[in-house]
Amino acid sequence: MSNIEKEARKKIRRAAINKNWTLFKQSRLGIVGLGIVLFFAFLAVLQPILFLTGVWNEGVYDPVVGYEPERFELLVVECPQQYPTEKYQEPNDCPARGEVNKVLVFDPSVSVGDYYETSLQPAPPSSKHILGTDSLGRDIFSQLMEGSQVAFLLGLLSATVGVALSTILGSIAAFFGGRVDAYLMRQSDLVLMLPFLPLLFIISAFVELKVWHLAVVLGILGGLGGSVITIKSAALQVKVKPFVDSARITGGSRMRILFSHILPNVAPLALLFMVFSVTGAIASESVLSFLGLLNIDMSWGLMIYLSQTDGYIFSGLKYWWLILPAGLSVTFLAGGFYLVGRGLDEVFNPRLRDR
Amino acid sequence: MAKYLINRALQMFLVFFIFLTSSYLLFNAMPGNAFQSLLLNPNLPPDAYEKTLALYGLDKPLFERLQLYIINFFKGDFGYSYIYFPKSPVELIAERLPRTLMLFSIVNIFAFYTGFLVGKILAWRRGSKSETWITITSVFSYTVFYPWFALLMLYFFGLKLGWLPIGKFLYPEKWYDAPFDSDVIFVNMIWFTVIITLVQFIAYVLTRNIESISIRRNLRFTSFVLILIGSYFYWGTGEALVRRPYAADIAYHMILPVFTVTLLAFAGTALLTRTTMMEVLKEDYILTARAKGLSQKRIRDRHAARTALLPVVTSFIFTIVTIIDGSVLTEQIFSWPGMGQLILQAVLREDIPVAMATFSFLGIFALVAHFLADISYAYLDPRIRIKSQG
């Protein structure tokens, strides 16, 4: 390839990127989604930086084994037998913040009205722990950052694996047709037939699922399943375009037609699929760790799982820092990717645009 | 076409055979088996475990078991459940399926209908402020972390307000002296739902071609009122009167799961409808309809929405397939003892006959739905038909 041609190609590519960026900017929700995704990416990157620069002490802030030995002064009270009383409206209100129930203090020398020094877990948000600590004294904010690392790793890896598989297989099915097509379609039937969650239960029974494994498994299941069918129907529409015929007439080999004519034209749709499947992967990871089936140290699903098994999820908003951050993070990151996908959809699909 | 169909049916059979084999091998690859808890019981004689295994034929080599299972499967013999011993998987499915169907058919009807309405409005009001807000809400409910949201709903409506029951599908104390079991009521309720849905649907189809919007709306409303009166009479007479309090108990337990799942499921339909409808609105015939001077509402409802319905209906068919798959999580959270819980229990406790029966039940369902979708695509789009055969 000559230098001039290279230059020209570079210029064309740059112009295309500029044009697409302008189009993407027009969809406001797409920009919002991009902002959300970048925010979580920032959180994911921030945690190792904080540890490396020594702003955070690993003993205190480690998401899995950290512990804060801070002591609090608590007023010892006795919870009444009957509600409501003057001080407490319902059983949930006692002990109030800064108080401890006498029954729960296993020290006979302490009586009602004394101050009792203890480490309070889960501790409410303070200047040291922005989002408080969980029932084992670990920093929630640090867990949130660790969880976003897991979500990004898993979502992007599984989406890449899945989309690469389904794009290649879908184009091959459309291009060769006949037996290859029939085989690939029946294979995706087979994958679609297996119920998704129970299948993951079975797999987690005989393989210890770590984040990497889960990402690959989700990617393969997604890549062999329904998306092959969609990509195939898109590739069929490309296959009947005149430029494929002219490439064939000028003597292009099958591989060349497949990889340099059909694949690039399916690629936008594949990119779209990728962004949407990140949403699905994040949700499945959270569901699996919520059910306690993954061998992961920390993730958003696990945080919700812990707050549920510790019984805080039914305590209302009194322990909001255990309930809200993790659930909202899953929702927002998945929603952010979804909005980015919608913005991209408007870039690639002219019919969805305003003008 | 006949050749294509026969070919396709043969392939389907082959796929099902492979599916059966591979899922049987998958279940057997799981470590341990359903009877290992016998080893932990010191009161049992030491050979109890081996004897039980021999009784269930689990001591035979894997290949022989697989062969036996597949031969028996095609004879219509699915064996006996390991956990609920004297019952066969078919009995278990017949017991559990109505509960799941009842819950999720109502959810899907609601979700599909509201989703389609919302999506239509979204595409129509594109660029307005209300569009942005509705979109944000539906994206939120589309991507919200489902178990978390369901637990919060349970907390709020079940515990904090105390309006609705927290789990299960009935109050056992009300059923002590019930003259029938709950499945009779479930089947009864399913038939009732199917019939009223059909009546309303027929009313829609019949009034479809009436020109004036106000007359059409009034007719539809009349049919709705007629259905209400009819169901009042149905539940007020004869045998249904005896069943009414029990049916009401089940319906009361259904409110919260139906509400929660509908809130989450409608968004998918709404977003899909919006996209397809926006593509349709750019078509030339919409411009023609505008140029003819038709009213906006008429263009929206009669010209655009009807075309946009097609892919939405296809996706609806596929949702029906995933109902039972998706019910696993819902039933776990709301402790609703349906098909999802049956699958979950069977898989986790390695009750292979039940697990295989439920898996193949779902598999056949999915296979047939995919087959129908394929045929309808081929029928609708000649390009795909010619290309996929050639």
Side-chain angles (χ1 to χ4, degrees):
Chain A
M1 208 183 287
S2 68
N3 252 348
I4 304 168
E5 199 183 332
K6 252 185 200 165
E7 282 291 308
R9 279 182 183 234
K10 212 184 241 175
K11 216 176 257 173
I12 290 171
R13 205 173 297 146
R14 201 169 294 154
I17 290 173
N18 274 338
K19 194 180 130 227
N20 286 341
W21 173 242
T22 328
L23 282 174
F24 184 76
K25 266 197 298 191
Q26 282 173 2
S27 105
R28 240 184 310 146
L29 285 178
I31 292 292
V32 172
L34 194 65
I36 294 172
V37 172
L38 286 180
F39 172 71
F40 280 105
F42 171 70
L43 279 190
V45 177
L46 187 64
Q47 191 207 28
I49 294 178
L50 283 177
F51 280 142
L52 281 178
T53 52
V55 178
W56 274 8
N57 178 4
E58 281 203 42
V60 176
Y61 287 100
D62 190 279
V64 186
V65 294
Y67 180 73
E68 171 70 271
E70 202 177 347
R71 311 292 277 181
F72 290 87
E73 292 260 295
L74 294 179
L75 180 69
V76 180
V77 293
E78 198 162 1
C79 281
Q81 298 289 326
Q82 282 181 344
Y83 295 90
T85 59
E86 285 170 34
K87 214 170 151 193
Y88 309 113
Q89 285 302 314
E90 47 177 318
N92 235 350
D93 292 344
C94 175
R97 196 158 284 174
E99 295 176 347
V100 65
N101 194 348
K102 169 86 173 64
V103 187
L104 295 175
V105 180
F106 301 104
D107 185 354
S109 64
V110 174
S111 57
V112 176
D114 286 357
Y115 276 94
Y116 180 65
E117 200 185 73
T118 178
S119 54
L120 181 70
Q121 309 298 356
S126 58
S127 57
K128 266 187 102 176
H129 301 282
I130 302 173
L131 286 173
T133 61
D134 75 352
S135 54
L136 297 175
R138 305 179 290 190
D139 185 64
I140 295 272
F141 192 52
S142 177
Q143 290 182 351
L144 212 62
M145 289 168 157
E146 182 89 3
S148 73
Q149 290 167 9
V150 170
F152 268 100
L153 174 71
L154 185 116
L156 293 179
L157 186 64
S158 79
T160 317
V161 170
V163 166
L165 253 178
S166 64
T167 314
I168 292 174
L169 292 183
S171 321
I172 287 176
F175 185 68
F176 290 103
R179 287 212 179 138
V180 180
D181 176 32
Y183 167 71
L184 286 171
M185 287 300 105
R186 296 299 82 76
Q187 180 182 304
S188 73
D189 270 6
L190 189 64
V191 174
L192 282 179
M193 275 165 82
L194 291 164
F196 186 65
L197 266 182
L199 182 64
L200 286 178
F201 291 159
I202 299 174
I203 294 174
S204 70
F206 61 83
V207 187
E208 276 212 349
L209 281 179
K210 294 219 185 275
V211 184
W212 291 91
H213 305 150
L214 180 71
V216 174
V217 167
L218 284 180
I220 290 175
L221 282 183
L224 293 182
S227 51
V228 178
I229 300 170
T230 322
I231 299 266
K232 181 197 137 191
S233 59
L236 275 177
Q237 285 171 8
V238 176
K239 193 191 163 189
V240 293
K241 291 261 166 72
F243 61 80
V244 176
D245 283 336
S246 55
R248 194 174 293 140
I249 292 165
T250 47
S253 73
R254 280 167 144 188
M255 282 299 139
R256 190 172 165 79
I257 294 174
L258 184 60
F259 281 103
S260 60
H261 294 278
I262 291 185
L263 266 185
N265 282 292
V266 186
L269 185 73
L271 181 66
L272 206 65
F273 250 84
M274 191 168 139
V275 175
F276 286 136
S277 62
V278 171
T279 307
I282 292 172
S284 343
E285 185 273 332
S286 307
V287 166
L288 282 181
S289 20
F290 172 74
L291 293 171
L293 290 169
L294 290 186
N295 187 17
I296 294 183
D297 294 336
M298 189 44 64
S299 77
W300 291 335
L302 206 61
M303 289 166 71
I304 299 168
Y305 170 72
L306 288 176
S307 72
Q308 193 216 357
T309 48
D310 290 353
Y312 291 112
I313 212 156
F314 276 164
S315 68
L317 292 181
K318 198 170 157 198
Y319 292 101
W320 61 268
W321 64 94
L322 292 174
I323 304 163
L324 293 183
L328 284 180
S329 296
V330 179
T331 309
F332 278 134
L333 185 59
F337 271 109
Y338 183 83
L339 289 176
V340 171
R342 256 180 48 134
L344 285 179
D345 205 5
E346 289 185 19
V347 173
F348 296 133
N349 191 347
R351 284 176 165 189
L352 293 180
R353 279 180 220 149
D354 270 336
R355 284 160 289 278
Chain B
M1 198 67 189
K3 197 184 156 200
Y4 173 73
L5 284 184
I6 291 170
N7 201 351
R8 191 60 218 274
L10 277 179
Q11 287 175 5
M12 262 169 60
F13 185 76
L14 196 68
V15 169
F16 185 69
F17 188 76
I18 297 174
F19 169 76
L20 215 56
T21 318
S22 53
S23 38
Y24 195 81
L25 293 177
L26 261 180
F27 284 122
N28 278 287
M30 286 164 81
N33 61 47
F35 302 108
Q36 254 175 351
S37 57
L38 293 180
L39 285 174
L40 300 173
N41 191 340
N43 294 329
L44 290 174
D47 59 342
Y49 176 64
E50 278 83 28
K51 274 191 178 163
T52 318
L53 283 194
L55 186 69
Y56 285 93
L58 281 171
D59 55 340
K60 296 195 177 99
L62 177 61
F63 185 70
E64 200 183 324
R65 268 186 286 153
L66 175 65
Q67 215 176 352
L68 267 177
Y69 185 83
I70 288 175
I71 290 170
N72 284 336
F73 185 91
F74 287 110
K75 278 186 195 161
D77 176 7
F78 303 101
Y80 292 97
S81 161
Y82 294 164
I83 310 175
Y84 313 92
F85 166 64
K87 286 191 174 174
S88 72
V90 179
E91 282 171 344
L92 283 172
I93 291 177
E95 178 190 297
R96 300 294 188 92
L97 190 63
R99 303 173 188 168
T100 301
L101 273 186
M102 183 67 216
L103 185 61
F104 283 88
S105 57
I106 290 193
V107 165
N108 270 294
I109 292 168
F110 279 164
F112 181 67
Y113 191 69
T114 47
F116 187 65
L117 282 184
V118 171
K120 207 164 76 173
I121 294 167
L122 268 183
W124 197 250
R125 294 204 188 150
R126 125 145 266 195
S128 71
K129 230 180 204 148
S130 60
E131 191 234 345
T132 318
W133 284 113
I134 299 175
T135 313
I136 288 176
T137 323
S138 34
V139 168
F140 181 81
S141 79
Y142 184 65
T143 57
V144 74
F145 183 44
Y146 169 61
W148 174 76
F149 184 73
L151 284 174
L152 287 187
M153 293 288 278
L154 264 179
Y155 163 73
F156 190 68
F157 287 104
L159 202 68
K160 181 108 187 177
L161 297 178
W163 291 351
L164 298 165
I166 285 186
K168 298 278 183 259
F169 66 113
L170 42 76
Y171 285 125
E173 58 267 29
K174 283 192 184 172
W175 289 71
Y176 279 146
D177 43 3
F180 27 67
D181 55 30
S182 59
D183 289 340
V184 181
I185 308 286
F186 268 112
V187 173
N188 196 340
M189 286 168 81
I190 290 178
W191 278 116
F192 178 72
T193 321
V194 166
I195 287 170
I196 60 170
T197 318
L198 266 184
V199 170
Q200 186 68 8
F201 183 70
I202 289 170
Y204 260 73
V205 172
L206 287 184
T207 54
R208 201 179 48 172
N209 285 328
I210 293 172
E211 291 295 316
S212 147
I213 287 179
S214 61
I215 293 179
R216 201 169 69 207
R217 190 181 293 154
N218 285 342
L219 276 177
R220 283 177 182 175
F221 186 69
T222 319
S223 81
F224 182 66
V225 170
L226 279 180
I227 285 176
L228 279 188
I229 295 172
S231 48
Y232 179 76
F233 274 110
Y234 172 74
W235 289 107
T237 50
E239 204 181 353
L241 185 63
V242 186
R243 293 179 177 180
R244 194 171 67 183
Y246 302 105
D249 186 27
I250 290 176
Y252 179 56
H253 280 79
M254 262 171 47
I255 297 173
L256 189 58
V258 166
F259 181 59
T260 311
V261 184
T262 306
L263 213 56
L264 302 182
F266 94 95
T269 313
L271 294 169
L272 182 67
T273 312
R274 171 189 169 274
T275 315
T276 50
M277 178 118 165
M278 255 153 54
E279 289 192 3
V280 171
L281 285 179
K282 291 276 158 82
E283 296 281 352
D284 290 339
Y285 61 83
I286 300 291
L287 197 65
T288 316
R290 284 218 170 103
K292 273 199 301 190
L294 295 180
S295 77
Q296 294 285 326
K297 215 168 191 175
R298 204 177 149 78
I299 297 172
R300 186 186 79 188
D301 290 348
R302 303 286 303 277
H303 292 249
R306 209 182 278 176
T307 326
L309 193 61
L310 216 75
V312 180
V313 168
T314 325
S315 95
F316 183 57
I317 292 173
F318 276 100
T319 358
I320 293 177
V321 175
T322 55
I323 282 180
I324 297 169
D325 187 7
S327 73
V328 173
L329 203 56
T330 311
E331 292 184 356
Q332 184 69 15
I333 290 170
F334 291 100
S335 33
W336 185 272
M339 276 293 275
Q341 291 242 1
L342 185 67
I343 295 184
L344 191 66
Q345 284 301 319
V347 168
L348 291 182
R349 293 175 65 181
E350 301 190 43
D351 188 355
I352 297 177
V354 175
M356 284 298 294
T358 44
F359 263 50
S360 42
F361 179 78
L362 295 185
I364 292 174
F365 218 52
L367 211 59
V368 170
H370 194 182
F371 180 53
L372 291 181
D374 244 20
I375 289 179
S376 61
Y377 276 148
Y379 179 72
L380 292 173
D381 194 340
R383 277 179 314 186
I384 292 174
R385 182 172 59 210
I386 294 163
K387 282 296 166 187
S388 65
Q389 281 173 348

